[in-house]
Amino acid sequence: MPAFPLSTRSLLINQDSSFFLETTSEGIFLSSQANKSPLFELREPILLAQGIAETPNQIHLAYIKTSGELCYTIVSTTGTHHTTSLGNLDTRNNRYARLILLPVDKVIHIFYAASHLSLPDVWRITHHLWNGQTWKSAQLGEVVHPRYPVYRVLLDSKSNLHLLMMTSLGNRSALLSNFFNGAYHIWAQRKEDLSIPREIIDMTGLILSGDRGYLFYAAKQPGTEKYEIGFASRINLCDFGSTWRIEGNSLKEISGPWKGFGVFQSEGNLSLLVNTDQERLFQFNQHHWNLVSNFPSKHLPTNLVQKSEFGINHTEWLINSEDVYVPLFIDLIQSSSLLIDNDAIAVPIFNYTAPLIHPVTNAIPFPESNKPKISNTSESTLPPEAKDSSTTNEAELMTNLNLIEDTLSTIMDNLISLDKKMDTLPNSLEPLASLMKQNSRVFSAAIESLKKQDFETLQALHSLEEKIVQLKQTKEKKGFWERWFGLTKK
């Protein structure tokens, strides 16, 4: 999930549909998640590309060709598209990173950062604006970072933009912000909002209901090879009187190497995915951030662009495989149940052990006034037999339970039938019948002994079945994800 160079995969989702954008040095390929049909293809060397599914029928793309041409394309699900060239960039002497696209009604915003080869640590951020009549551009200042430009753009409910930039100032970092008025299309003066006594290596954030802003930043702990994650919030981004405030303690002792992180909001849940040598998922629960899942890093990076009722969220995430473009932990980052009955989808999603909730010692307290509503799963636990297996999942356990019961039932039915048939044999076969009946009764006794020996195992399986039923008895609420999984059946 490293943000730079930009992931070649982007998953574009909204409340009704989803699309997959793949970018390589050879070109761009855009397809629908519903039927994998191609919608747009460009066979030219591409440096960076980004997209967003504004509506179920319309996708916006912005991309920089290796030749330097900056383009904006709007694609319809009917297959038609229209491309506008915004000029040529100097790709021979400059590096380019973090391309961001934000369509707001009929206004289009495109951001990118450029660094000259002679000054690789200094990144200049540029904004291109389509105001409905013409394209305009503006330079928004510079940030200093030895690896990549650390900046984000948040969109509030009034169509205002909030540019957040983290710059390194020696032994500390500063959060710089700027405000774009959505009604008058003008930028304010940028200012310093926070001073953090650490070298910040990465940053992500989003806006939730009520225009409350959340910001997460990662820093390397001094004198160690570990990282810590800090958390800041702002009560109302539309209120000029509100300010950014660092909340509570940081998450510490995060092992490296650092690959990136992302934040995702779904049905009141706020989830933080941290990708280092481990893939760690944190969720807010009981006024703290809790570690929900922790497994070795092995999945593919993707850029997740989510348009929801709260706005637009650009973030880094992970997907399960190149064949099934399903966001990792999708069953954990929403509160309602998912009815998944397709093997191609179900296997990648449940390829890890059913997670247990492990509270983090130095968890970050969430502001009480705006805490998300999340179902509390910490009270549900699995029996010891299930904890000992790292590969068994609920589907396999249920299958094994049914198989054992069906097998025993079939064996006993056959023995009873054999016993009855022995009584009908002719007298001349009576010695043989007696022998067969004796052997069948011995076998029957052996089966009964086996059943007694496996009684505790069966009890454990029945107990697990009850736990699984309890876990699945959550409030059903059909939404985008259920429809999406239905559409991705093969």
Side-chain angles (χ1 to χ4, degrees), residues 9 11 13 18-20 33 36 264 273 299-302 304 317-334 338 340 342-352 480-481 484-486 488-490:
R9 305 169 188 87
L11 186 57
I13 61 178
S18 63
F19 304 88
F20 189 77
Q33 284 289 90
K36 301 296 187 297
F264 190 93
L273 174 61
H299 291 92
L300 299 173
T302 188
L304 188 64
W317 208 260
L318 296 169
I319 56 176
N320 278 284
S321 71
E322 292 182 351
D323 297 325
V324 183
Y325 304 123
V326 180
L328 193 64
F329 303 125
I330 194 61
D331 54 328
L332 299 180
I333 60 178
Q334 55 184 343
L338 283 177
I340 307 170
N342 182 277
D343 292 339
I345 301 297
V347 172
I349 292 178
F350 295 106
N351 62 353
Y352 49 85
F480 162 73
W481 290 114
W484 185 47
F485 280 120
T488 52
K489 290 182 180 179
K490 295 183 179 180

Side-chain angles (χ1 to χ4, degrees), residues 193-208:
D193 281 329
L194 290 175
S195 179
I196 304 171
R198 291 284 190 275
E199 179 191 350
I200 304 301
I201 63 168
D202 207 351
M203 178 178 71
T204 189
L206 79 168
I207 296 179
L208 294 186

